Amino acid sequence: MGNRGILHDDRQQLGTARWKHQAWVTCTLAFKARRRELMTPGNYTELFFTDEAVTLAAGHRPCAECRREDFNRFRDAFARAHPDLPQPVRAPDMDRVTHTARVVSRSRAQVTYEAMLSELPEGVFFKIAPAGGPLVRWQGKVWAWSFEGLQRDRTLCRIGWRC
């Protein structure tokens, strides 16, 4: 489950905002027997993801409260990737850096990059053309992502990529 702030109104209707703060976190669905009513007025809007890869690809980091071990591993990896940040790295520092990497400043546009397929790291989500669906590079192969799970992508097989 993800959190980007309060994105709904008192009638549980979503507005146009895609986030309300830079701390995009992903939480566990069960923690200390807490129960929540979805879209409670004045409380954060619950976002649901199919799996961990999708939450990370969407720009979320593990929650420091309900996912402490995951948060610590993420923070340690983040610190190695960003040695210029004050140590120990704090959540607000990670949030600032990741927000800059995911959103074009002063807009709601998502940051995108062009790269050669062979240069993409394992676990990355990408698309080939603006109209193409989401793809994932995983275990040296390319998979088409869907709500039903990963499927082999035959488009890339035709151009010689391992499928």
Side-chain angles (χ1 to χ4, degrees), residues 141-157:
K141 298 178 182 178
V142 173
W143 304 86
W145 182 92
S146 74
F147 287 108
E148 290 75 37
L150 298 178
Q151 308 292 323
R152 290 185 181 205
D153 185 77
R154 298 293 178 199
T155 305
L156 295 173
C157 296

Side-chain angles (χ1 to χ4, degrees), residues 38-83:
L38 295 180
M39 297 179 116
T40 300
N43 211 326
Y44 71 84
T45 305
E46 299 83 357
L47 307 172
F48 294 96
F49 297 95
T50 55
D51 55 46
E52 182 77 358
V54 175
T55 65
L56 294 171
H60 291 243
R61 66 163 170 79
C63 173
E65 181 183 11
C66 67
R67 298 187 58 205
R68 180 49 100 174
E69 288 182 31
D70 294 329
F71 173 82
N72 289 341
R73 281 193 299 276
F74 186 89
R75 182 194 58 213
D76 293 346
F78 201 94
R80 287 191 302 277
H82 299 276

